[in-house]
Amino acid sequence: MSFSELVPFLGWFQSNGGNIDLNAIGFKHFPVAEGGRGAVALKNFEKGEILFTIPRALTLSAKTSSLSEIFGLKIWKERKLDKGWSGLILCMMWEASQGLHSRWGPYLATLPTTFDTPMFWDDSDLKELGGTSVVEKLGKSDAEEDYNNKVLPAIQSRPDLFPPDAVTVHYSLRQYHIMGSRILSRSFDVERPDIGDGEAEEEEETIGNNEANQSMDSAMDVDVQDPTHGAEDDSHPDDDDEDSEEEPNCVDVSMVPIADLLNARYGSENAKLFYDETTLKMMTTKRIKAGEQIWNTYGDLPNCELIRRYGHVDLLPLPGGRKGNPGDTVEIRADLVVSMFSQESVSVDVGVSNAQRIDWWLEEGGDDVFVLDTDYNVPEAIISLMRLLYLSAEEWEKARTKSKPPKPKLDSHALDLLILVLRKRLSQYSSTIEEDEDILKNETTLPKNKYHATVVRLGEKYILAATLDRLSTLRAADNGSSKKRKMTSTPNDPNSGKSSKKSKR
């Protein structure tokens, strides 16, 4: 959509209380590597300046749309449309069906109708993501079950609101996926304005990164120097847990006009959304020169999350001359750890089944997924789990009684098992590092999905390989130290009187 096509939307925004100086901020198409369409500064901005403001009433959420009241709040809740995303998606489909009769008609007309995210890839493209955690996190089957079991019955129950002849056009499963993708890529978590004065100060200090469901879902950072708060969350899983009742001071998943036009890129954030009781404010977090792009933030996500949510990857210069995403990660599942332990330690008499130890581990709050990143350090939790598996029956009973998992000391058992686990994890990809590097040499001729998938899996493999190199070096040093200790204990060794030092880990 060109700037001229944005004119009706910008007019709608300003006539409904939105405040933006179009002589200071413009919108243009940047190269794909810079995010495509985005916002540009037309003058110099200093840190702390307000770029534009949005009235809370202009945000689109399940609270601001009138659909739930027209449908009937009691029935809306009985059908669990107040849980997760399903209610907001239905509101967005209904508002879109109203065209320009909807308050948000001009805004909805600006939102994308096609996406490059794996949710819309075919099976052959999805195979390119084999070995990564992307596919299992798409939630496509869960979304379709949600649509068929919750949303579609609600639609069919109210033909006065959702005419049958409009279902295939405005309320189809494809439209459900499109609206869900719009939320995933563009929504914000906006805290409700009903915080009392006594609670506001405490909130200001505590709102920050929101590791909900994590995976890598993160909130927009908050500038505690400002009396307003801002939050963004890019993944809002459906949660029908009856215990997760809405709290008075919780957030609403909201579509925020204008704010969602800003692009984001790793380490580039120069603007952030803040809010007060009646208004959302996009403010600069650093100086922006005229001609520079205005960048929002989504938490410096790894490429596996960028491709899942937004359909693109970040490639920046890295040490050693490579290009990649400094925020890349790779996940190690706990069941892989247990599986490799079972294969390699069949002779270890631990006195109790692995299942019992894992159940206890999880009950004690232990992780079931471990994350490696570009610092190539091993999470302490995975070492603790490995040592738990190796405990003798007596040691296990002691740990269980004290509700205290083993300390994350990388002993020889844990080190050897860790190397086996990472090697196995690396083998789960269908291609090698060298093969992926060769594929990317033809970057200009590669189909977009294949290129993105190769970048994602290669970034993960680099992390695994580098971590393995570090661990292998550690093991070699340990083995050398062990041999030296053995040599010094030999009576005929001329150096037997000299002491040797243990290698430190």
Side-chain angles (χ1 to χ4, degrees), residues 393-470:
E394 182 179 349
E395 291 168 332
W396 151 248
E397 186 61 30
K398 184 177 180 181
R400 189 178 65 84
T401 301
K402 291 187 174 182
S403 294
K404 190 174 182 180
K407 293 181 179 179
K409 177 184 177 182
L410 190 59
D411 58 21
S412 59
H413 285 311
L415 178 58
D416 288 343
L417 179 57
L418 189 54
I419 290 173
L420 290 172
V421 167
L422 297 194
R423 285 175 178 170
K424 181 66 175 179
R425 180 67 182 85
L426 192 55
S427 74
Q428 292 177 342
Y429 302 93
S430 60
S431 57
T432 65
I433 288 178
E434 293 72 24
E435 288 169 341
D436 282 350
E437 290 175 335
D438 286 340
I439 289 172
L440 291 181
K441 289 177 182 177
N442 302 311
E443 173 185 341
T444 57
T445 60
L446 282 177
K448 182 188 293 185
N449 293 349
K450 184 177 179 68
Y451 169 72
H452 284 161
T454 306
V455 169
V456 170
R457 66 180 187 242
L458 184 58
E460 294 188 3
K461 292 174 192 176
Y462 281 142
I463 293 173
L464 287 167
T467 307
L468 270 169
D469 284 345
R470 177 175 288 188

Coordinates of all heavy atoms in Angstrom, one line a residue, residues 393-470:
A393 N 20.4 -44.2 44.2 CA 19.1 -44.3 44.9 C 19.1 -43.5 46.2 O 18.2 -42.8 46.6 CB 18.7 -45.8 45.2
E394 N 20.2 -43.6 46.9 CA 20.4 -42.9 48.2 C 20.4 -41.4 48.0 O 19.7 -40.6 48.7 CB 21.6 -43.4 48.9 CG 21.8 -42.7 50.3 CD 23.1 -43.2 51.0 OE1 23.7 -44.2 50.5 OE2 23.5 -42.6 52.0
E395 N 21.2 -41.0 47.0 CA 21.3 -39.5 46.7 C 19.9 -39.0 46.2 O 19.6 -37.9 46.6 CB 22.4 -39.3 45.6 CG 23.8 -39.6 46.1 CD 24.8 -39.6 45.0 OE1 24.4 -40.0 43.9 OE2 26.0 -39.3 45.3
W396 N 19.3 -39.8 45.4 CA 17.9 -39.3 44.9 C 17.0 -39.1 46.0 O 16.2 -38.1 46.1 CB 17.4 -40.4 43.9 CG 15.9 -40.5 43.8 CD1 15.1 -41.5 44.2 CD2 15.0 -39.5 43.3 NE1 13.8 -41.2 44.0 CE2 13.7 -40.0 43.4 CE3 15.2 -38.2 42.8 CZ2 12.6 -39.3 43.1 CZ3 14.0 -37.5 42.4 CH2 12.8 -38.0 42.6
E397 N 16.9 -40.0 47.0 CA 16.0 -40.0 48.1 C 16.3 -38.7 48.9 O 15.4 -38.0 49.4 CB 16.1 -41.2 49.0 CG 15.1 -41.3 50.1 CD 13.6 -41.3 49.6 OE1 13.4 -41.8 48.4 OE2 12.7 -40.7 50.3
K398 N 17.6 -38.4 49.1 CA 18.0 -37.2 49.8 C 17.6 -36.0 49.1 O 17.0 -35.0 49.8 CB 19.5 -37.3 50.0 CG 20.1 -36.1 50.9 CD 21.6 -36.2 51.1 CE 22.1 -35.1 51.9 NZ 23.6 -35.2 52.1
A399 N 17.8 -35.9 47.8 CA 17.4 -34.7 47.0 C 15.9 -34.5 47.1 O 15.4 -33.4 47.2 CB 17.8 -34.9 45.6
R400 N 15.1 -35.6 47.0 CA 13.7 -35.6 47.0 C 13.1 -35.1 48.3 O 12.2 -34.3 48.4 CB 13.1 -36.9 46.6 CG 11.6 -36.9 46.4 CD 11.1 -38.3 46.0 NE 11.3 -39.3 47.0 CZ 10.4 -39.5 48.0 NH1 9.4 -38.7 48.1 NH2 10.7 -40.3 49.0
T401 N 13.7 -35.6 49.4 CA 13.3 -35.3 50.7 C 13.5 -33.8 51.0 O 12.7 -33.1 51.6 CB 14.0 -36.1 51.8 OG1 13.8 -37.5 51.5 CG2 13.6 -35.7 53.2
K402 N 14.6 -33.3 50.5 CA 15.0 -31.8 50.7 C 14.4 -30.9 49.7 O 14.5 -29.7 49.7 CB 16.5 -31.7 50.7 CG 17.2 -32.3 51.9 CD 18.6 -31.9 51.9 CE 19.3 -32.4 53.2 NZ 20.8 -32.0 53.3
S403 N 13.7 -31.5 48.7 CA 13.1 -30.7 47.5 C 14.2 -29.9 46.9 O 14.0 -28.7 46.7 CB 11.9 -29.9 48.0 OG 10.9 -30.7 48.4
K404 N 15.4 -30.5 46.7 CA 16.5 -29.7 46.2 C 17.2 -30.4 45.1 O 17.9 -31.4 45.3 CB 17.5 -29.5 47.4 CG 18.6 -28.5 47.1 CD 19.4 -28.3 48.4 CE 20.5 -27.2 48.1 NZ 21.3 -27.0 49.4
P405 N 17.0 -30.0 43.8 CA 17.7 -30.6 42.7 C 19.2 -30.5 42.9 O 19.7 -29.6 43.6 CB 17.2 -29.8 41.5 CG 15.9 -29.2 42.0 CD 16.1 -28.9 43.4
P406 N 20.0 -31.3 42.2 CA 21.5 -31.2 42.3 C 22.0 -29.9 41.8 O 21.4 -29.2 41.0 CB 21.9 -32.4 41.4 CG 20.8 -33.3 41.3 CD 19.6 -32.4 41.4
K407 N 23.1 -29.5 42.4 CA 23.8 -28.3 41.9 C 24.3 -28.5 40.5 O 24.7 -29.6 40.1 CB 25.0 -27.9 42.8 CG 24.6 -27.5 44.2 CD 25.8 -27.2 45.1 CE 25.3 -26.8 46.5 NZ 26.5 -26.4 47.4
P408 N 24.3 -27.4 39.7 CA 24.7 -27.5 38.3 C 26.2 -27.6 38.1 O 26.8 -26.7 37.4 CB 24.1 -26.2 37.7 CG 24.1 -25.3 38.8 CD 23.8 -26.0 40.0
K409 N 26.8 -28.6 38.7 CA 28.2 -28.8 38.5 C 28.5 -29.7 37.4 O 28.0 -30.8 37.3 CB 28.8 -29.4 39.8 CG 30.3 -29.7 39.7 CD 30.7 -30.4 41.0 CE 32.2 -30.8 40.9 NZ 32.7 -31.5 42.1
L410 N 29.3 -29.2 36.4 CA 29.5 -30.0 35.2 C 30.6 -31.1 35.4 O 31.8 -30.9 35.1 CB 29.9 -29.1 34.1 CG 30.0 -29.7 32.7 CD1 28.6 -30.2 32.3 CD2 30.5 -28.6 31.6
D411 N 30.2 -32.2 36.0 CA 31.1 -33.3 36.3 C 31.3 -34.1 35.0 O 30.7 -33.8 34.0 CB 30.6 -34.1 37.5 CG 29.2 -34.7 37.2 OD1 28.8 -34.8 36.1 OD2 28.6 -35.1 38.2
S412 N 32.1 -35.1 35.1 CA 32.4 -35.9 33.9 C 31.2 -36.6 33.3 O 31.0 -36.7 32.0 CB 33.5 -36.9 34.2 OG 33.1 -37.8 35.2
H413 N 30.3 -37.1 34.1 CA 29.1 -37.8 33.6 C 28.2 -36.8 32.9 O 27.8 -37.0 31.7 CB 28.3 -38.3 34.8 CG 28.8 -39.6 35.4 ND1 29.2 -40.7 34.6 CD2 29.1 -39.9 36.7 CE1 29.7 -41.6 35.4 NE2 29.6 -41.2 36.6
A414 N 28.0 -35.6 33.5 CA 27.1 -34.6 32.8 C 27.8 -34.1 31.6 O 27.1 -33.8 30.5 CB 26.9 -33.5 33.8
L415 N 29.1 -33.9 31.6 CA 29.8 -33.4 30.4 C 29.7 -34.3 29.2 O 29.4 -33.9 28.1 CB 31.3 -33.1 30.7 CG 32.2 -32.6 29.6 CD1 31.6 -31.3 29.0 CD2 33.6 -32.5 30.1
D416 N 29.9 -35.6 29.5 CA 29.8 -36.6 28.4 C 28.4 -36.7 27.9 O 28.2 -36.8 26.7 CB 30.3 -38.0 28.9 CG 31.8 -38.1 29.2 OD1 32.5 -37.2 28.6 OD2 32.2 -39.0 29.9
L417 N 27.4 -36.7 28.8 CA 26.0 -36.8 28.3 C 25.6 -35.5 27.5 O 24.9 -35.6 26.5 CB 25.1 -37.0 29.5 CG 23.6 -37.1 29.2 CD1 23.3 -38.2 28.3 CD2 22.8 -37.2 30.5
L418 N 26.1 -34.4 28.0 CA 25.8 -33.2 27.3 C 26.3 -33.2 25.9 O 25.6 -32.7 24.9 CB 26.4 -32.0 28.1 CG 26.0 -30.6 27.7 CD1 24.5 -30.4 27.7 CD2 26.6 -29.6 28.6
I419 N 27.5 -33.6 25.7 CA 28.0 -33.7 24.3 C 27.2 -34.7 23.5 O 26.9 -34.3 22.3 CB 29.5 -34.2 24.4 CG1 30.4 -33.1 25.0 CG2 30.0 -34.6 23.0 CD1 31.8 -33.5 25.3
L420 N 26.8 -35.8 24.0 CA 26.0 -36.7 23.3 C 24.6 -36.1 22.9 O 24.1 -36.3 21.8 CB 25.7 -38.0 24.1 CG 26.9 -38.9 24.3 CD1 26.6 -40.0 25.3 CD2 27.4 -39.5 23.0
V421 N 24.0 -35.4 23.8 CA 22.7 -34.7 23.6 C 22.8 -33.7 22.5 O 22.0 -33.6 21.6 CB 22.2 -34.1 24.9 CG1 21.0 -33.2 24.6 CG2 21.8 -35.1 25.9
L422 N 23.9 -32.9 22.5 CA 24.0 -31.8 21.5 C 24.3 -32.4 20.1 O 23.9 -31.9 19.1 CB 25.1 -30.8 21.9 CG 24.8 -30.0 23.2 CD1 25.8 -28.8 23.3 CD2 23.4 -29.5 23.3
R423 N 25.1 -33.5 20.1 CA 25.4 -34.1 18.8 C 24.1 -34.7 18.2 O 23.8 -34.6 17.0 CB 26.4 -35.2 19.0 CG 27.8 -34.7 19.2 CD 28.8 -35.9 19.5 NE 30.2 -35.4 19.6 CZ 31.2 -36.1 20.0 NH1 31.0 -37.4 20.4 NH2 32.4 -35.6 20.1
K424 N 23.3 -35.3 19.1 CA 22.0 -35.9 18.6 C 21.1 -34.7 18.2 O 20.4 -34.9 17.1 CB 21.3 -36.6 19.8 CG 20.0 -37.3 19.4 CD 20.2 -38.4 18.4 CE 18.9 -39.1 18.1 NZ 19.0 -40.1 17.1
R425 N 21.1 -33.6 18.9 CA 20.2 -32.5 18.5 C 20.7 -32.0 17.1 O 19.8 -31.6 16.3 CB 20.3 -31.4 19.6 CG 19.5 -30.2 19.3 CD 18.0 -30.5 19.4 NE 17.2 -29.3 19.0 CZ 16.9 -28.9 17.8 NH1 17.3 -29.6 16.8 NH2 16.2 -27.8 17.6
L426 N 22.0 -31.9 16.9 CA 22.5 -31.4 15.6 C 22.1 -32.3 14.5 O 21.9 -31.9 13.4 CB 24.0 -31.3 15.7 CG 24.7 -30.5 14.6 CD1 24.1 -29.1 14.4 CD2 26.2 -30.4 14.9
S427 N 22.0 -33.6 14.8 CA 21.7 -34.6 13.8 C 20.2 -34.6 13.4 O 19.8 -35.2 12.4 CB 22.0 -36.0 14.2 OG 21.1 -36.5 15.2
Q428 N 19.4 -33.8 14.1 CA 17.9 -33.8 13.8 C 17.6 -32.9 12.6 O 16.5 -32.9 12.1 CB 17.2 -33.3 15.0 CG 17.2 -34.3 16.2 CD 16.5 -33.8 17.5 OE1 16.3 -32.6 17.6 NE2 16.1 -34.7 18.4
Y429 N 18.6 -32.2 12.1 CA 18.4 -31.4 10.9 C 18.7 -32.3 9.7 O 19.5 -33.2 9.8 CB 19.3 -30.2 10.9 CG 19.1 -29.2 12.0 CD1 19.9 -29.3 13.2 CD2 18.1 -28.2 12.0 CE1 19.7 -28.5 14.3 CE2 17.9 -27.4 13.1 CZ 18.7 -27.5 14.2 OH 18.6 -26.7 15.3
S430 N 18.0 -32.1 8.6 CA 18.2 -32.9 7.4 C 19.4 -32.5 6.6 O 19.7 -33.2 5.6 CB 16.9 -32.9 6.6 OG 16.6 -31.6 6.1
S431 N 20.1 -31.4 6.9 CA 21.2 -31.0 6.2 C 22.3 -30.6 7.1 O 22.1 -30.4 8.3 CB 20.8 -29.8 5.3 OG 20.3 -28.7 6.1
T432 N 23.5 -30.5 6.6 CA 24.7 -30.1 7.4 C 24.9 -28.6 7.3 O 24.3 -27.9 6.5 CB 26.0 -30.9 7.0 OG1 26.3 -30.4 5.6 CG2 25.7 -32.4 6.9
I433 N 25.8 -28.1 8.2 CA 26.2 -26.7 8.1 C 26.8 -26.4 6.7 O 26.4 -25.4 6.1 CB 27.2 -26.4 9.2 CG1 26.5 -26.4 10.6 CG2 27.9 -25.0 9.0 CD1 27.4 -26.1 11.8
E434 N 27.6 -27.2 6.3 CA 28.3 -27.0 5.0 C 27.3 -27.0 3.8 O 27.3 -26.1 2.9 CB 29.4 -28.1 4.7 CG 30.5 -28.0 5.6 CD 30.2 -28.5 7.0 OE1 29.3 -29.3 7.2 OE2 31.0 -28.1 8.0
E435 N 26.3 -27.9 3.9 CA 25.3 -27.9 2.9 C 24.4 -26.6 2.9 O 24.1 -26.1 1.8 CB 24.4 -29.1 3.0 CG 25.1 -30.4 2.7 CD 24.3 -31.7 3.1 OE1 23.4 -31.6 4.0 OE2 24.6 -32.8 2.5
D436 N 24.1 -26.2 4.1 CA 23.3 -24.9 4.2 C 24.1 -23.7 3.7 O 23.5 -22.8 3.1 CB 22.8 -24.7 5.6 CG 21.7 -25.6 6.0 OD1 21.1 -26.2 5.1 OD2 21.3 -25.7 7.2
E437 N 25.4 -23.7 4.0 CA 26.2 -22.6 3.6 C 26.3 -22.6 2.0 O 26.2 -21.5 1.4 CB 27.6 -22.7 4.2 CG 27.6 -22.4 5.7 CD 29.0 -22.6 6.3 OE1 29.8 -23.4 5.7 OE2 29.3 -22.0 7.3
D438 N 26.3 -23.7 1.4 CA 26.3 -23.8 0.0 C 25.0 -23.3 -0.6 O 24.9 -22.7 -1.7 CB 26.6 -25.2 -0.5 CG 28.1 -25.6 -0.3 OD1 28.9 -24.7 -0.2 OD2 28.4 -26.8 -0.3
I439 N 23.9 -23.7 0.0 CA 22.6 -23.3 -0.4 C 22.5 -21.8 -0.4 O 22.0 -21.2 -1.4 CB 21.5 -23.9 0.5 CG1 21.3 -25.4 0.3 CG2 20.1 -23.2 0.2 CD1 20.4 -26.1 1.2
L440 N 23.0 -21.1 0.6 CA 22.8 -19.7 0.7 C 23.8 -18.9 -0.2 O 23.6 -17.7 -0.4 CB 23.1 -19.2 2.2 CG 22.0 -19.7 3.2 CD1 22.4 -19.2 4.6 CD2 20.7 -19.2 2.8
K441 N 24.7 -19.6 -0.9 CA 25.5 -19.0 -1.9 C 24.7 -18.5 -3.1 O 25.1 -17.6 -3.8 CB 26.7 -19.9 -2.3 CG 27.7 -20.1 -1.2 CD 28.8 -21.1 -1.7 CE 29.9 -21.3 -0.6 NZ 30.9 -22.3 -1.1
N442 N 23.6 -19.2 -3.2 CA 22.7 -18.9 -4.3 C 21.5 -18.1 -3.8 O 20.3 -18.2 -4.3 CB 22.2 -20.2 -5.0 CG 23.3 -21.0 -5.5 OD1 24.2 -20.5 -6.2 ND2 23.3 -22.3 -5.2
E443 N 21.7 -17.2 -2.9 CA 20.7 -16.5 -2.2 C 19.7 -15.7 -3.2 O 18.5 -15.8 -3.0 CB 21.3 -15.4 -1.3 CG 20.3 -14.4 -0.7 CD 21.0 -13.4 0.2 OE1 22.2 -13.6 0.5 OE2 20.4 -12.3 0.4
T444 N 20.2 -15.1 -4.2 CA 19.4 -14.3 -5.1 C 18.4 -15.1 -5.9 O 17.4 -14.6 -6.4 CB 20.3 -13.5 -6.1 OG1 21.2 -14.4 -6.8 CG2 21.1 -12.5 -5.3
T445 N 18.7 -16.4 -6.1 CA 17.8 -17.3 -6.9 C 16.9 -18.2 -6.1 O 16.1 -18.9 -6.6 CB 18.6 -18.1 -7.9 OG1 19.5 -19.0 -7.2 CG2 19.4 -17.2 -8.9
L446 N 17.1 -18.2 -4.8 CA 16.4 -19.1 -3.9 C 14.9 -18.6 -3.7 O 14.7 -17.4 -3.6 CB 17.0 -19.1 -2.5 CG 18.3 -20.0 -2.3 CD1 18.8 -19.9 -0.9 CD2 18.0 -21.5 -2.6
P447 N 14.0 -19.5 -3.7 CA 12.6 -19.1 -3.3 C 12.7 -18.5 -1.9 O 13.5 -19.0 -1.0 CB 11.8 -20.4 -3.3 CG 12.6 -21.3 -4.2 CD 14.0 -20.9 -4.0
K448 N 11.8 -17.5 -1.6 CA 11.9 -16.8 -0.3 C 11.8 -17.8 0.9 O 12.5 -17.6 1.9 CB 10.8 -15.8 -0.2 CG 10.8 -14.9 1.0 CD 9.6 -14.0 1.1 CE 9.6 -13.0 0.1 NZ 8.4 -12.0 0.3
N449 N 10.8 -18.7 0.9 CA 10.6 -19.6 2.0 C 11.8 -20.4 2.3 O 12.2 -20.7 3.4 CB 9.4 -20.4 1.8 CG 8.1 -19.6 1.8 OD1 8.1 -18.4 2.2 ND2 7.0 -20.2 1.4
K450 N 12.4 -21.0 1.2 CA 13.6 -21.8 1.4 C 14.8 -21.0 1.9 O 15.5 -21.5 2.8 CB 14.0 -22.4 0.0 CG 15.2 -23.4 0.1 CD 15.5 -24.1 -1.2 CE 16.6 -25.0 -1.1 NZ 16.3 -26.2 -0.3
Y451 N 14.9 -19.8 1.4 CA 16.0 -18.9 2.0 C 15.8 -18.7 3.4 O 16.7 -18.8 4.2 CB 16.0 -17.6 1.2 CG 16.9 -16.6 1.8 CD1 18.3 -16.7 1.7 CD2 16.3 -15.5 2.4 CE1 19.1 -15.7 2.3 CE2 17.1 -14.5 3.0 CZ 18.5 -14.6 2.9 OH 19.3 -13.7 3.5
H452 N 14.6 -18.3 3.8 CA 14.3 -18.0 5.2 C 14.5 -19.2 6.1 O 15.1 -19.1 7.2 CB 12.9 -17.5 5.4 CG 12.7 -16.0 5.0 ND1 11.5 -15.5 4.7 CD2 13.6 -15.0 4.8 CE1 11.7 -14.2 4.3 NE2 12.9 -13.9 4.4
A453 N 14.0 -20.4 5.7 CA 14.2 -21.6 6.5 C 15.6 -22.0 6.6 O 16.1 -22.4 7.7 CB 13.4 -22.7 5.8
T454 N 16.4 -21.8 5.6 CA 17.8 -22.1 5.6 C 18.6 -21.2 6.6 O 19.4 -21.7 7.4 CB 18.5 -22.1 4.2 OG1 17.7 -22.9 3.3 CG2 19.9 -22.6 4.3
V455 N 18.3 -20.0 6.6 CA 18.9 -19.0 7.5 C 18.5 -19.4 9.0 O 19.4 -19.4 9.8 CB 18.4 -17.6 7.2 CG1 18.8 -16.6 8.3 CG2 19.0 -17.1 5.9
V456 N 17.3 -19.8 9.2 CA 16.8 -20.1 10.6 C 17.6 -21.3 11.1 O 18.2 -21.3 12.2 CB 15.3 -20.4 10.6 CG1 14.9 -21.0 12.0 CG2 14.6 -19.1 10.4
R457 N 17.6 -22.4 10.3 CA 18.2 -23.6 10.8 C 19.7 -23.5 10.8 O 20.4 -24.1 11.7 CB 17.8 -24.8 9.9 CG 18.3 -24.8 8.5 CD 17.8 -26.0 7.7 NE 18.3 -26.1 6.4 CZ 17.7 -26.1 5.3 NH1 16.3 -25.9 5.3 NH2 18.3 -26.2 4.1
L458 N 20.3 -22.7 9.9 CA 21.8 -22.6 10.0 C 22.2 -21.8 11.2 O 23.2 -22.1 11.9 CB 22.3 -21.8 8.7 CG 23.8 -21.6 8.6 CD1 24.5 -23.0 8.6 CD2 24.1 -20.9 7.3
G459 N 21.4 -20.8 11.6 CA 21.7 -20.1 12.8 C 21.7 -21.0 14.0 O 22.5 -20.8 15.0
E460 N 20.8 -21.9 14.1 CA 20.7 -22.8 15.2 C 21.9 -23.8 15.2 O 22.4 -24.1 16.2 CB 19.4 -23.6 15.1 CG 18.1 -22.7 15.3 CD 16.9 -23.5 15.5 OE1 16.9 -24.8 15.4 OE2 15.8 -22.9 15.6
K461 N 22.2 -24.2 14.0 CA 23.4 -25.2 13.9 C 24.7 -24.6 14.3 O 25.5 -25.2 15.0 CB 23.5 -25.7 12.5 CG 22.3 -26.6 12.0 CD 22.5 -26.9 10.5 CE 21.2 -27.5 10.0 NZ 21.3 -27.8 8.5
Y462 N 24.9 -23.3 14.0 CA 26.1 -22.6 14.4 C 26.2 -22.6 15.9 O 27.3 -22.8 16.5 CB 26.1 -21.2 13.9 CG 26.5 -21.0 12.5 CD1 25.8 -20.0 11.7 CD2 27.5 -21.8 11.9 CE1 26.2 -19.9 10.3 CE2 27.9 -21.6 10.5 CZ 27.2 -20.6 9.8 OH 27.6 -20.5 8.5
I463 N 25.1 -22.4 16.6 CA 25.1 -22.3 18.1 C 25.4 -23.7 18.6 O 26.3 -23.9 19.5 CB 23.7 -21.9 18.6 CG1 23.5 -20.4 18.3 CG2 23.6 -22.1 20.1 CD1 22.1 -19.9 18.6
L464 N 24.8 -24.8 18.1 CA 25.1 -26.1 18.5 C 26.5 -26.5 18.3 O 27.2 -27.1 19.2 CB 24.2 -27.1 17.8 CG 22.7 -27.1 18.3 CD1 21.8 -27.9 17.3 CD2 22.6 -27.7 19.7
A465 N 27.0 -26.2 17.1 CA 28.4 -26.5 16.8 C 29.4 -25.8 17.6 O 30.4 -26.4 18.1 CB 28.7 -26.2 15.3
A466 N 29.2 -24.5 17.9 CA 30.1 -23.7 18.7 C 30.1 -24.2 20.1 O 31.1 -24.2 20.8 CB 29.8 -22.2 18.6
T467 N 28.9 -24.5 20.6 CA 28.8 -25.0 22.0 C 29.5 -26.4 22.1 O 30.2 -26.6 23.1 CB 27.3 -25.1 22.4 OG1 26.7 -23.9 22.2 CG2 27.2 -25.5 23.9
L468 N 29.3 -27.2 21.1 CA 30.0 -28.5 21.1 C 31.5 -28.4 21.1 O 32.2 -29.1 21.8 CB 29.5 -29.3 19.9 CG 28.3 -30.2 20.1 CD1 27.8 -30.8 18.8 CD2 28.6 -31.4 21.1
D469 N 32.0 -27.4 20.3 CA 33.4 -27.2 20.3 C 33.9 -26.8 21.6 O 35.0 -27.3 22.1 CB 33.7 -26.1 19.2 CG 33.6 -26.5 17.8 OD1 33.6 -27.8 17.6 OD2 33.6 -25.7 16.9
R470 N 33.2 -25.9 22.3 CA 33.6 -25.5 23.6 C 33.6 -26.7 24.6 O 34.6 -26.8 25.4 CB 32.7 -24.4 24.1 CG 33.0 -23.9 25.5 CD 32.1 -22.7 25.9 NE 32.5 -21.5 25.2 CZ 32.0 -20.3 25.5 NH1 31.1 -20.2 26.4 NH2 32.4 -19.3 24.8

